Amino acid sequence: MAAGVIAGLVPTTDAVATASAADARPVSSPATPGMSPSAQAPPRWTAAAAQRFWTDRRMAEAKPFPDIQRPAPADAPSPNTGRSLSQGAGAGPGSSHFGGLPMIGRMYIQRGNGSYFCTASVINSRHHNIVLTAGHCMDSRAGTGSMAFVPQWTAATPRPHGIFPVATDSRGRSQVWIDQRYYNRGHKNGAPWDVAFVRLGARSDGKQVQDVVGGNALVTGRGYVFSQVRLIGYPNTDRQPLTCTNATTRFTPTDGTPGSYLRVACDDYRSGTSGGPFLANFNTHTGKGDVVGSIGGWKTGGPTADISYSPYFGSDIRRLYNAAEAGSPPSRPSALPQ
């Protein structure tokens, strides 16, 4: 067992890191004289560009993605204390801040003048470059660049494994796979497909993310009930991620939302944890498990911070993963260029 994995499983408290560089703008291709803006080459989004743009300060100041936010418990102030601030007060077992795991991190998203994040995790894949997050974190950004994944981010150690840009195509559109039904039906009626697979570009040294930090296996078709899952996510502006272990149950909404969902009670999973994996068969020695769900789905992960939900990982999710792994053209929302 690697020492880094052991340390990652022990709850600790970090101090906020000082910014190491001034904020930078995303790099773009130079203008070509006499060529209209629409004919210009799309901005190039590389590991070097992502590293310049996502400074330590910008990452530390990023907020949970603004469109859909899970609420915070009324008793939850912002400083970390090494344990969940709602521990003992919520519906589930107490969650704890900890040093994180290498294959789980923050997915950073730029929108206007704001910097935001959700939680994402590396999924084993043929080309070693796929991460999983929530569809509601990515659906409005699926055609743009300036997104990057930072494994095992903490405020004290902002990029322990480097930074990986979200890959873009020849037109500068991010390589994000979301089921077309989620785009078409919206966050409520599309809740069973609130999942996104994202293809990453290589780190600045040419290494793929799975080769650097490892990954977890995507497991589908195993049902809703697991005797134990490890739930990991990055809540609000906390300086470290949360971890919690509990059983899952099946939940079928009565509010008109289609489908059934995995449900798990774990305290304090506030906004920012969307996309965090449900890890079954979690091995504390290796820090790995089987991904059987991710925070999202019904009410984009749940209306309270102490109970989390996941779409059912069945054949639809497997087909979406297969498309991402094969590099098939992703679906696009109708509002974005096709």
Side-chain angles (χ1 to χ4, degrees):
M1 177 178 181
V5 172
I6 297 174
L9 297 175
V10 178
T12 58
T13 302
D14 287 341
V16 174
T18 303
S20 62
D23 285 349
R25 294 183 180 276
V27 68
S28 60
S29 302
T32 303
M35 185 179 292
S36 68
S38 61
Q40 301 273 348
R44 297 187 66 246
W45 184 240
T46 63
Q51 188 165 331
R52 288 193 295 270
F53 183 73
W54 291 108
T55 63
D56 292 355
R57 170 183 285 178
R58 180 167 270 141
M59 288 192 291
E61 293 177 349
K63 302 295 190 296
F65 194 70
D67 281 351
I68 304 293
Q69 293 193 16
R70 306 193 70 199
D75 65 338
S78 57
N80 285 352
T81 62
R83 64 187 287 275
S84 166
L85 294 168
S86 66
Q87 188 169 350
S95 55
S96 299
H97 292 97
F98 78 129
L101 293 172
M103 65 289 294
I104 300 170
R106 280 180 167 190
M107 174 64 73
Y108 285 101
I109 302 159
Q110 183 70 9
R111 181 174 180 178
N113 294 324
S115 299
Y116 306 99
F117 70 88
C118 282
T119 302
S121 63
V122 181
I123 300 297
N124 292 335
S125 64
R126 184 189 318 159
H127 302 294
H128 295 189
N129 60 357
I130 300 293
V131 295
L132 164 73
T133 188
H136 68 264
C137 293
M138 309 297 286
D139 62 343
S140 65
R141 300 291 297 168
T144 60
S146 303
M147 297 190 290
F149 175 66
V150 179
Q152 204 174 2
W153 178 92
T154 65
T157 310
R159 56 186 86 201
H161 310 288
I163 187 168
F164 296 84
V166 171
T168 55
D169 64 16
S170 60
R171 297 175 62 182
R173 299 179 302 183
S174 297
Q175 295 292 279
V176 176
W177 281 262
I178 297 173
D179 195 294
Q180 187 68 55
R181 287 167 289 189
Y182 192 69
Y183 287 132
N184 293 347
R185 301 183 187 185
H187 291 158
K188 179 179 179 179
N189 291 328
W193 305 283
D194 185 7
V195 169
F197 291 101
V198 182
R199 176 172 283 197
L200 302 178
R203 199 171 63 176
S204 57
D205 61 0
K207 292 184 178 181
Q208 300 294 341
V209 65
Q210 187 180 324
D211 296 324
V212 176
V213 301
N216 292 304
L218 178 71
V219 173
T220 57
R222 297 290 180 86
Y224 300 84
V225 178
F226 295 88
S227 60
Q228 194 173 77
V229 297
R230 179 69 64 99
L231 188 66
I232 296 173
Y234 282 84
N236 205 357
T237 56
D238 293 16
R239 300 164 187 166
Q240 293 179 307
L242 286 178
T243 183
C244 170
T245 300
N246 203 1
T248 65
T249 58
R250 180 172 181 166
F251 171 77
T252 302
T254 58
D255 65 351
T257 302
S260 294
Y261 302 84
L262 282 71
R263 168 178 169 158
V264 62
C266 274
D267 288 349
D268 212 19
Y269 279 72
R270 290 162 278 140
S271 55
T273 60
S274 289
F278 285 44
L279 295 171
N281 301 317
F282 184 77
N283 187 319
T284 57
H285 296 288
T286 64
K288 295 183 178 181
D290 296 330
V291 179
V292 297
S294 60
I295 296 177
W298 185 66
K299 295 190 181 295
T300 59
T304 71
D306 297 329
I307 299 179
S308 297
Y309 299 82
S310 167
Y312 173 62
F313 275 27
S315 58
D316 288 344
I317 303 304
R318 174 61 63 179
R319 281 192 292 268
L320 188 67
Y321 164 80
N322 289 343
E325 187 179 50
S328 302
S331 299
R332 304 280 179 188
S334 58
L336 294 177
Q338 296 298 313

